[in-house]
Amino acid sequence: MSESRLHNLIRVNQAITSDLDLDSVLHRIVAMAAELVDAKFAGMGVLGPQGEIAKFIHSGISPQVEAAIGRQPEGRGLLRAIMDTPRPLSLTALGDDPRSVGFPAGHPAMTSFLGVRIRVREEVYGNLYLANNRHGEFTAEDVELAEALAATAGIAIENARQFDEAIRRERWSRALAEAARGVMLDEESQQVPRLLDRVREAVQAEVALIATIDEETDELIVEHVVGFNSAVLATTRVRPVTESFVHTTGDEALVLNDLSLLIDTADGEVETTCHLVLVPFDGPPGRRIALGVANRGTQSELHDREIEVVGSFTSHVHTVLDRAEMRRTRHRVAMLEDRNRIARDLHDHVIQRLFATGLSLQATATQVDGPPGERLSDLVHEIDGAITQIRQSIFALNHDSADGATLRSRLSAIVERIGGSLPRRPTLVFAGPVDLVTDDDLSHDVEAVVSEALTNAVRHSGARSIDVEVAIADHSITISVLDDGVGPGPMTRRSGLSNLELRARRHDGTFLVEERATGGTSLHWTGRLGATRPSTGSPID
């Protein structure tokens, strides 16, 4: 190898290893390869996961010619031969080789050809193609230079990839840290969109979204979205044309590139192509929720490494959604309490005053003859009608189940009825949204448990005081009954306690009765919300 060409190789090596931006490195390798071996045309095919040419970078072809060709090489013919051959391939007349499949219309004529592999560690990253040597054909020295350049290119690409990975992980780490701070500090109304913005930034995607997977219609129901065209995507339905969200995802994360979708917009269904990553995570019972990122089909594809990034944010999203659900529950509880307060005020104050006024008017009407007396009687009827309407309103305010009373009020009535004979009325404490229990079977069993526990305490323990607590937490309802009586004793008659144990099993719960260290009995009963199973017996109420 001549001294001048060796100097050129050293210069080229320094040039391509001095840059850490991967895209710039790839373009510089192609341009300098053409310069190094004096070729008119040069190209690099970056291989995809299936060995196909996923990206093609070229030098020597004008934008006008590129537009006339219309597509990048597919990796057939001689280009495929380079992929399958570990040694460089050098040809004097490219068209004479039997593996050549020709060129598309508009492609410039190519004669001499040189192809070498580019390896990054043990991986074949891509292939370097050189064509139309200006001196006629590629020499053995040209092949040697191309191989040396390919080796340096592998090192430069590895450095750039590591730098790119470091930048990506720094961006990811920063976004995670900001997401954690945001969950604690952001305004509640902005937590979800800001969190999605951080996911989108960490992945460098166009869109980030939270969606429910509808198993019946095989659709994504977009609940929250930020990024490109978010106004169109918000609260819309997305249906895959060829894939199946339900059968493809399961509980696993997935990457779907070049996915055809039908988007239900205000102007009708629109078909589009996108690259999508979906990562399912735990949601409310009965719902399959996923955190996802997406790019348009014309933008960069997404890869398995994005799954790790998106997955790292699911715990933050889960926390934010749980807090939002808790806020809604607190609002509903406050609303129920307001309704109960209004109902009490209407009953204890308004109705009583109206009733007293009606009695007074009725008494006055009996002492007045003629039209004034009739008018007073009409007013009494009007007041009676108003009282009837108010009573109906009170019933509607308190109506929370089939029998027209809330679980809280029914339990209060049980405690009042059974504990009336005690020196001190039992205390009853509620914790959590007890009135929001909608399972009639569970509500019925909760009433039976409180009734049986209080009856045992009153009849058999000799207790002077009893404390009852009913609490909702972690998708379970817990009943605790504590008394200061003589303790559970040998409990030879266990029919009532067996019923309580059976009711607990029906709701995937637990039941425990034990003697308290300070004297008396402690009874604990739990049941899971939504876990009612068919009864295997007939508990005696």
Side-chain angles (χ1 to χ4, degrees):
M1 185 183 298
S2 67
E3 186 176 345
S4 62
R5 301 198 78 179
L6 183 59
H7 281 304
N8 282 340
L9 177 61
I10 295 172
R11 177 179 56 83
V12 168
N13 287 345
Q14 290 175 338
I16 64 175
T17 55
S18 63
D19 199 337
L20 289 175
D21 178 73
L22 182 58
D23 195 58
S24 298
V25 168
L26 297 180
H27 282 84
R28 187 171 292 186
I29 290 170
V30 172
M32 292 197 160
E35 176 188 341
L36 188 64
V37 299
D38 209 10
K40 185 176 181 181
F41 303 110
M44 180 192 296
V46 179
L47 302 185
Q50 306 301 322
E52 78 284 5
I53 294 180
K55 182 177 183 179
F56 191 79
I57 302 159
H58 59 80
S59 173
I61 296 178
S62 67
Q64 294 77 14
V65 173
E66 182 182 10
I69 296 172
R71 60 177 177 83
Q72 72 173 27
E74 298 175 357
R76 298 183 295 124
L78 280 172
L79 301 191
R80 168 57 60 182
I82 301 291
M83 299 179 195
D84 299 334
T85 305
R87 300 294 302 168
L89 179 62
S90 179
L91 300 172
T92 302
L94 187 150
D96 294 341
D97 192 285
R99 293 168 292 186
S100 177
V101 294
F103 299 102
H107 197 287
M110 293 192 174
T111 53
S112 56
F113 177 83
L114 173 58
V116 294
R117 282 184 173 185
I118 297 176
R119 301 181 68 89
V120 176
R121 295 183 183 270
E122 300 303 318
E123 165 197 1
V124 178
Y125 180 82
N127 300 301
L128 184 61
Y129 311 113
L130 300 155
N132 291 23
N133 186 279
R134 289 186 171 85
H135 304 292
E137 63 183 60
F138 293 103
T139 65
E141 192 175 88
D142 291 329
V143 174
E144 188 179 354
L145 285 169
E147 283 189 289
L149 178 63
T152 304
I155 296 172
I157 291 169
E158 173 66 6
N159 290 342
R161 285 169 62 173
Q162 289 183 355
F163 180 75
D164 181 66
E165 180 67 12
I167 294 297
R168 185 180 74 90
R169 288 190 173 273
E170 180 187 1
R171 186 171 59 238
W172 175 14
S173 178
R174 185 174 61 250
L176 270 176
E178 291 175 353
R181 287 196 297 270
V183 167
M184 302 304 298
L185 301 177
D186 282 351
E187 295 180 9
E188 293 183 348
S189 62
Q190 295 298 316
Q191 283 185 350
V192 172
R194 287 183 181 172
L195 184 53
L196 287 179
D197 267 329
R198 292 180 179 107
V199 176
R200 187 168 62 95
E201 175 190 347
V203 182
Q204 295 290 280
E206 291 188 299
V207 174
L209 56 88
I210 298 171
T212 297
I213 302 174
D214 190 324
E215 296 190 3
E216 294 184 0
T217 62
D218 194 18
E219 295 175 320
L220 286 182
I221 304 172
V222 179
E223 298 183 358
H224 307 278
V225 61
V226 297
F228 178 80
N229 231 3
S230 58
V232 174
L233 293 174
T235 64
T236 191
R237 289 177 173 263
V238 178
R239 186 170 74 253
V241 176
T242 55
E243 299 285 348
S244 168
F245 289 135
V246 172
H247 296 104
T248 303
T249 57
D251 294 326
E252 300 295 328
L254 77 158
V255 180
L256 295 172
N257 284 311
D258 298 319
L259 175 67
S260 293
L261 295 174
L262 288 175
I263 300 177
D264 186 13
T265 70
D267 299 324
E269 286 189 335
V270 175
E271 185 169 353
T272 187
T273 302
C274 79
H275 313 305
L276 177 67
V277 168
L278 282 180
V279 180
F281 63 93
D282 292 336
R287 290 180 63 195
R288 294 179 60 190
I289 300 182
L291 175 62
V293 293
N295 284 334
R296 286 171 291 172
T298 56
Q299 304 301 312
S300 301
E301 291 188 351
L302 299 169
H303 304 95
D304 288 343
R305 69 179 188 177
E306 270 74 51
I307 290 178
E308 183 183 8
V309 179
V310 176
S312 65
F313 285 90
T314 55
S315 61
H316 296 77
V317 173
H318 190 274
T319 299
V320 168
L321 294 181
D322 270 358
R323 290 176 63 180
E325 183 62 29
M326 289 173 61
R327 287 195 298 273
R328 287 192 291 269
T329 300
R330 287 198 299 268
H331 176 72
R332 293 176 64 188
V333 170
M335 182 182 68
L336 286 173
E337 291 177 346
D338 278 347
R339 289 167 60 182
N340 289 336
R341 178 184 57 77
I342 293 169
R344 287 195 304 270
D345 288 347
L346 288 173
H347 180 272
D348 296 342
H349 302 293
V350 178
I351 287 181
Q352 300 305 324
R353 293 184 66 179
L354 285 174
F355 187 72
T357 302
L359 287 177
S360 177
L361 288 175
Q362 189 174 20
T364 303
T366 60
Q367 301 173 9
V368 178
D369 296 327
E374 295 175 359
R375 177 57 180 159
L376 288 175
S377 296
D378 290 341
L379 290 176
V380 170
H381 287 302
E382 287 291 330
I383 291 175
D384 286 342
I387 291 174
T388 300
Q389 289 182 347
I390 292 173
R391 289 187 186 277
Q392 291 174 350
S393 297
I394 293 173
F395 178 81
L397 287 171
N398 284 328
H399 182 72
D400 192 54
S401 61
D403 60 6
T406 64
L407 178 59
R408 184 189 299 253
S409 64
R410 297 198 301 274
L411 294 179
S412 298
I414 291 172
V415 172
E416 186 69 37
R417 173 172 52 84
I418 299 176
S421 60
L422 292 175
R424 181 172 69 86
R425 180 181 177 277
T427 62
L428 176 59
V429 176
F430 295 100
V434 175
D435 283 340
L436 300 185
V437 175
T438 58
D439 185 333
D440 289 339
D441 288 335
L442 179 58
S443 298
H444 176 72
D445 284 343
V446 167
E447 293 175 54
V449 170
V450 172
S451 178
E452 179 71 22
L454 276 175
T455 299
N456 286 337
V458 171
R459 292 180 180 177
H460 307 302
S461 73
R464 295 181 59 84
S465 67
I466 303 174
D467 298 318
V468 182
E469 181 181 40
V470 181
I472 296 282
D474 297 329
H475 304 294
S476 294
I477 186 167
T478 301
I479 301 171
S480 299
V481 181
L482 309 178
D483 67 58
D484 61 355
V486 297
M491 293 185 291
T492 56
R493 183 179 180 275
R494 291 185 53 88
S495 61
L497 298 180
S498 297
N499 289 336
L500 301 188
E501 189 172 0
L502 178 60
R503 294 181 191 278
R505 289 201 302 267
R506 286 186 62 206
H507 302 285
D508 288 344
T510 59
F511 172 64
L512 177 66
V513 176
E514 57 186 357
E515 188 170 353
R516 300 172 65 189
T518 57
T521 304
S522 168
L523 180 149
H524 292 279
W525 186 97
T526 67
R528 286 194 63 78
L529 304 181
T532 304
R533 289 187 269 176
S535 175
T536 56
S538 300
I540 300 172
D541 294 332

